[in-house]
Amino acid sequence: MFIRRVLRATVGLAVVASVAFAGSAQAGAQTARHTESRASADDQLLFYNHSYGVLDRETADAVENSQFLREFGAFEVRTTTGGDLTWKGRYLYGSQTYVELFGAGDLPGQDANFGSSAVAYSPEHEGDLAKVTEGLKERGVEKPDEFLQTRDFGDGVRVPWFNGVQIPITAYDAFGSWAMEYRPEYFADPRSKTGPASYPGDVSRQRYLPDTYKDHLMRDLTRVRFAVTERDLEQQLPLYEAGGLDIRHVKGGVLVKDGLTTVQFDVVPADKVGLKQITMALNKSVDYRHTERIGNSTLVVGPGARAVWTFDKP
């Protein structure tokens, strides 16, 4: 939320069962303008970092108070100050990926609406975000929105957190994206509680996230499904292309793959948008099936080494 909000202020804005493709003939012609997939894995610069979804209030409150989630995964409710904004999020962390959940009305402006969502990607090597920015320019984005995000750990002392870039847009419905690269100053700050570098220029997600996932069942997000409007999806595709992600156009939408996590976009009318489903890999295989109802959502764990969390529209 916070990155989209900061950038929207900068550019003057207010700030994933397949769904039938709205206006499929026209949308098909438009998406054909974009690259079907990256040239090779060697060209990949970005990887799924995290995403967020704004849920209905009942579900958000149930998530926040769920004891099951605290046992299932590395879960926390945290208030964060970044830049000029402070927000409370409900977080479920894996080894390299995570999800951030809000309730309707939690956020300022348009992002407060139920169904608002976003996805963030990040590089694993220092300097790769600059390559993504250049890639955007090559794709016709003349002046990408570039920014520095800081973080305050609650002691009033801010540290550079990450650099970011986003496609400047003048209007959107409910979805956005950005790319982010963690700063060396953040890793060097003991307050960040991050790990040591595993290789020169290590700005990886695994270094950034704590190892608390090892104490729980959930390991990582392997698929995130959003319902988005055609306009919102079209506006974000150049960022995924510049990041060298594997983009696949399928009936009803688009799949964006990074090798670990697939983001599925179903194209829908504006009144049906939002976070729809999260599929997670587990640290071990289980021989049972457990169904947990959390507000207007259902988390099914097992059998096997995966879990599926489905969000229903109330």
Side-chain angles (χ1 to χ4, degrees), residues 51-55 59-60 63-64 69 75 88-92 98-103 106-107 275 278 309 311:
S51 55
Y52 81 69
V54 177
L55 312 177
T59 304
V63 168
E64 182 170 340
L69 284 174
F75 176 83
K88 183 177 79 169
R90 303 149 186 86
Y91 298 84
L92 187 61
Y98 68 97
V99 63
E100 180 180 24
L101 301 172
F102 299 99
D106 278 354
L107 309 177
L275 173 63
I278 300 171
W309 194 358
F311 300 87

Side-chain angles (χ1 to χ4, degrees), residues 52-278:
Y52 81 69
V54 177
L55 312 177
D56 64 275
R57 174 51 56 187
E58 178 186 354
T59 304
D61 290 346
V63 168
E64 182 170 340
N65 295 294
S66 172
Q67 183 58 37
F68 180 81
L69 284 174
R70 287 167 168 80
E71 297 170 356
F72 170 69
F75 176 83
E76 73 169 342
V77 179
R78 188 187 78 228
T79 298
T80 306
T81 297
D84 296 327
L85 296 177
T86 297
W87 65 94
K88 183 177 79 169
R90 303 149 186 86
Y91 298 84
L92 187 61
Y93 303 105
S95 68
Q96 300 183 73
T97 61
Y98 68 97
V99 63
E100 180 180 24
L101 301 172
F102 299 99
D106 278 354
L107 309 177
Q110 185 174 338
D111 284 348
N113 297 339
F114 167 64
S116 180
S117 60
V119 61
Y121 286 90
S122 63
E124 303 283 78
H125 294 85
E126 186 176 5
D128 278 356
L129 187 67
K131 298 177 183 178
V132 174
T133 303
E134 288 305 309
L136 283 172
K137 295 176 182 178
E138 293 171 1
R139 287 164 175 79
V141 182
E142 296 181 0
K143 296 181 178 180
D145 284 316
E146 300 178 71
F147 64 97
L148 166 65
Q149 179 74 357
T150 62
R151 181 172 179 182
D152 182 342
F153 288 93
D155 54 9
V157 180
R158 297 193 177 194
V159 61
W161 192 357
F162 52 83
N163 294 325
V165 66
Q166 177 179 302
I167 296 172
I169 56 175
T170 57
Y172 69 101
D173 296 311
F175 175 81
S177 302
W178 66 88
M180 52 191 286
E181 181 176 304
Y182 296 116
R183 295 276 299 233
E185 299 97 324
Y186 187 83
F187 287 118
D189 194 314
R191 297 174 302 168
S192 72
K193 299 179 181 179
T194 53
S198 297
Y199 50 84
D202 181 0
V203 293
S204 65
R205 303 161 296 167
Q206 192 161 25
R207 182 183 179 191
Y208 173 79
L209 290 174
D211 288 337
T212 48
Y213 76 94
K214 294 180 179 180
D215 301 325
H216 302 275
L217 194 54
M218 186 275 220
R219 179 177 180 84
D220 263 315
L221 281 63
T222 58
R223 194 179 193 96
V224 184
R225 189 170 193 171
F226 296 101
V228 301
T229 64
E230 179 183 338
R231 174 172 73 167
D232 283 351
L233 178 57
E234 284 287 321
Q235 290 182 140
Q236 300 303 326
L237 285 176
L239 178 63
Y240 309 152
E241 294 170 357
L245 293 160
D246 187 351
I247 302 170
R248 304 293 176 93
H249 298 279
V250 297
K251 183 179 180 180
V254 170
L255 302 179
V256 179
K257 304 181 178 184
D258 73 349
L260 171 63
T261 306
T262 295
V263 178
Q264 177 173 343
F265 295 106
D266 298 330
V267 174
V268 300
D271 62 345
K272 297 185 182 300
V273 298
L275 173 63
K276 297 304 178 183
Q277 194 173 72
I278 300 171

Side-chain angles (χ1 to χ4, degrees), residues 262-304:
T262 295
V263 178
Q264 177 173 343
F265 295 106
D266 298 330
V267 174
V268 300
D271 62 345
K272 297 185 182 300
V273 298
L275 173 63
K276 297 304 178 183
Q277 194 173 72
I278 300 171
T279 303
M280 294 160 277
L282 306 181
N283 281 315
K284 63 179 181 179
S285 182
V286 297
D287 57 6
Y288 58 82
R289 174 188 174 95
H290 175 83
T291 300
E292 186 76 12
R293 189 69 178 167
I294 308 173
N296 295 301
S297 73
T298 305
L299 174 56
V300 179
V301 181

